[in-house]
Amino acid sequence: MSHPVPIQFQPVDAEALAKATGRIVVVVDEGGKLGAAGRRLDRLMKGALARYLAAPAFVDQKAGEGTVLAWPAGLAAEAVQVVKLDRKADVAQARKAGGAIGRALSEAGTLVLAEGGRHLAELSFGLALRAYDFTAHKTGTAKAPGPVTLMVPNPEAAAAEAAPLAALAEGVFFTRDLVNEPANVLTTYDFAARLAAMQELGLDVEILEEEDLSKLGMRALLGVGQGSESPSKVVVMHWRGGAKDEAPLALVGKGVVFDTGGISIKPAGGMEEMTMDMGGAGVVAGVMRTLALRKAKANVVGLVGLVENMPDGRAQRPGDVVRSMKGDTIEVINTDAEGRLVLADVLWYAQERFNPCGVIDLATLTGAIIVALGHENTGVFSNNDAFCEQFLKAAKAEGEGAWRMPMGDAYDAKLKSRIADMKNIGGRDGGSITAAQFLQRFVKAETPWIHLDIAGTALLQADTALAPKGATGWGVAALNRMIRDRFEK
């Protein structure tokens, strides 16, 4: 498992700058003003730092970005990186500045001089997130970054403020690792085992096997995985940090460890990315890990449906009719619309067993949401305005793009079936909305509910300010923030 790079907070020590190897990072505001240690560093560099800060290049440098001055005279360090962080910087800019540092840590160590003392916890969080590197399947000696030290005015206070964010970084890394893993490694067995291992953190973890699911009547979920050699499972993770009589928040994740599309098989091009079709379950797992690590004072239950959608002589066919745990029958028009079948049963089970105060499901559910929103925003659907607004506020605070989408009776009517209670798809137009309408049929009217379609945000083909190409961990931070702000007393 990947872990964030350890970050030490230490008092500012100007004398240590001359001997520091690796990389020195200087965090300065838009005015280019240096503190006492920064001026000492400039003298060691024979004025080169001050010359850069007075140059047009620094004026043009955007907030949160870094510029490297290589092999500076007068220092043992191989480079000095100048990172601009405005005096009125917000959380997003501070994390971006940290990301600029984390993108290029030195194997010999990185010393960050942040005399201004602004947004230090957020800076360190951005540094940790961007330094992520998934190397589990690369041979040879991995190049690990050396020690990372932040020189700050009040190291004890900065470390205390950063501690909850360190737990959040662990949760994000856990999600990224799960989403990045190939399907021959992250089978339903392996996924369940990784979740069960979190019992050592204080989570109660229960694994429901196919026999259990059959007894519960989860025929919709079981139908998806019946063509696979890997057995379907539901894993329940319970964190009890709140009052004993307080109803939990339920998080439900789609965990399709590989999706060929089944009999409605996908085109070959790009199918290798369908290892990420368990992204919703990965986010739920990351949130639960974060809550346990930071000892959150809330009751939260995370449920994930783990299946593999494969073509086989026993696989589900287009035209089959399955009965859900709720009792409704579903005509399977397209076996590649499988995630909603998994979620339907797990959503109903979560409500029947736990009577939650609210339910949030996450799934890499539709390509249609990518057409609508690209890769910048997750599609948000809800039956409760106040509940939805709480999530959107949290997502905005964490810089995770989210956009509410419409729902309505006209979309729901497209799910009408000739031979069953409903179809599992409603056509190409409004595809992400009709998928949400399908899920809503398995949500009780009195239960506040949010559906997050993360198909466009779970895994990206380019680097971002806080993540390398690949799994992003989108949603872990926003859900952790929502739980902290709304459910912790």
Side-chain angles (χ1 to χ4, degrees), residues 188-189 207-219 221-234 306-308 314:
T188 59
Y189 288 109
I207 301 174
L208 304 181
E209 303 291 354
E210 286 190 340
E211 183 179 354
D212 305 310
L213 306 181
S214 181
K215 289 178 180 178
L216 288 165
M218 292 194 187
R219 305 294 177 189
L221 181 151
L222 288 169
V224 174
Q226 69 189 38
S228 172
E229 294 296 320
S230 293
S232 300
K233 302 173 186 287
V234 169
L306 307 182
V307 302
E308 186 178 35
R314 298 184 300 112

Side-chain angles (χ1 to χ4, degrees), residues 257-283:
V257 295
F258 194 79
D259 182 22
T260 65
I263 299 301
S264 306
I265 197 163
K266 294 176 180 291
M271 196 193 290
E272 70 279 0
E273 289 185 3
M274 286 301 101
T275 57
M276 53 79 76
D277 212 23
M278 38 56 64
V283 175

Side-chain angles (χ1 to χ4, degrees), residues 39-53:
R39 293 193 296 272
R40 167 67 172 157
L41 180 66
D42 181 55
R43 288 194 294 274
L44 290 169
M45 297 173 64
K46 307 187 186 311
L49 178 58
R51 288 197 298 275
Y52 173 73
L53 295 177

Side-chain angles (χ1 to χ4, degrees), residues 106-403:
S106 171
E107 292 181 67
T110 302
L111 189 158
V112 182
L113 179 60
E115 292 181 274
R118 293 180 301 277
H119 292 301
L120 297 176
E122 303 294 348
L123 180 84
S124 67
F125 182 59
L127 188 161
L129 288 186
R130 187 57 185 84
Y132 173 84
D133 190 16
F134 186 70
T135 60
H137 305 291
K138 292 184 178 180
T139 58
T141 304
K143 293 183 178 180
V148 178
T149 303
L150 261 67
M151 284 189 174
V152 299
N154 190 336
E156 292 81 8
E161 188 180 357
L165 291 174
L168 177 56
E170 286 275 1
V172 173
F173 276 38
F174 191 56
T175 296
R176 289 179 180 176
D177 278 0
L178 289 169
V179 176
N180 279 328
E181 282 285 14
N184 63 322
V185 173
L186 193 73
T187 62
T188 59
Y189 288 109
D190 185 76
F191 202 152
R194 295 189 192 203
L195 302 185
M198 290 201 290
Q199 291 177 110
E200 66 186 24
L201 302 178
L203 287 166
D204 290 331
V205 182
E206 180 183 0
I207 301 174
L208 304 181
E209 303 291 354
E210 286 190 340
E211 183 179 354
D212 305 310
L213 306 181
S214 181
K215 289 178 180 178
L216 288 165
M218 292 194 187
R219 305 294 177 189
L221 181 151
L222 288 169
V224 174
Q226 69 189 38
S228 172
E229 294 296 320
S230 293
S232 300
K233 302 173 186 287
V234 169
V235 181
V236 181
M237 298 162 282
H238 211 147
W239 175 253
R240 296 178 174 89
K244 288 185 178 181
D245 59 348
E246 194 170 60
L249 172 69
L251 305 178
V252 176
K254 170 189 170 184
V256 180
V257 295
F258 194 79
D259 182 22
T260 65
I263 299 301
S264 306
I265 197 163
K266 294 176 180 291
M271 196 193 290
E272 70 279 0
E273 289 185 3
M274 286 301 101
T275 57
M276 53 79 76
D277 212 23
M278 38 56 64
V283 175
V284 171
V287 174
M288 298 307 295
R289 189 175 190 87
T290 299
L291 298 179
L293 286 169
R294 68 176 185 82
K295 307 300 182 188
K297 296 179 180 180
N299 294 331
V300 182
V301 58
L303 305 97
V304 296
L306 307 182
V307 302
E308 186 178 35
N309 188 20
M310 298 288 281
D312 179 84
R314 298 184 300 112
Q316 187 165 256
R317 296 155 293 228
D320 284 1
V321 174
V322 294
R323 185 178 297 274
S324 69
M325 181 182 173
K326 180 186 176 186
D328 290 347
T329 57
I330 305 163
E331 181 185 6
V332 179
I333 302 299
N334 189 325
T335 64
D336 194 23
E338 85 299 332
R340 64 201 71 182
L341 299 175
V342 174
L343 290 174
D345 278 343
V346 184
L347 282 168
W348 194 254
Y349 176 73
Q351 294 166 92
E352 288 286 282
R353 178 176 173 184
F354 296 105
N355 192 26
C357 62
V359 178
I360 302 175
D361 77 74
L362 300 98
T364 50
L365 204 65
T366 67
I369 202 65
I370 303 175
V371 174
L373 299 177
H375 296 280
E376 303 301 316
N377 288 282
T378 283
V380 182
F381 304 81
S382 183
N383 66 355
N384 186 292
D385 291 344
F387 191 48
C388 186
E389 186 56 36
Q390 290 165 1
F391 173 77
L392 291 171
K393 182 179 179 181
K396 183 177 181 180
E398 293 295 330
E400 295 193 313
W403 191 263

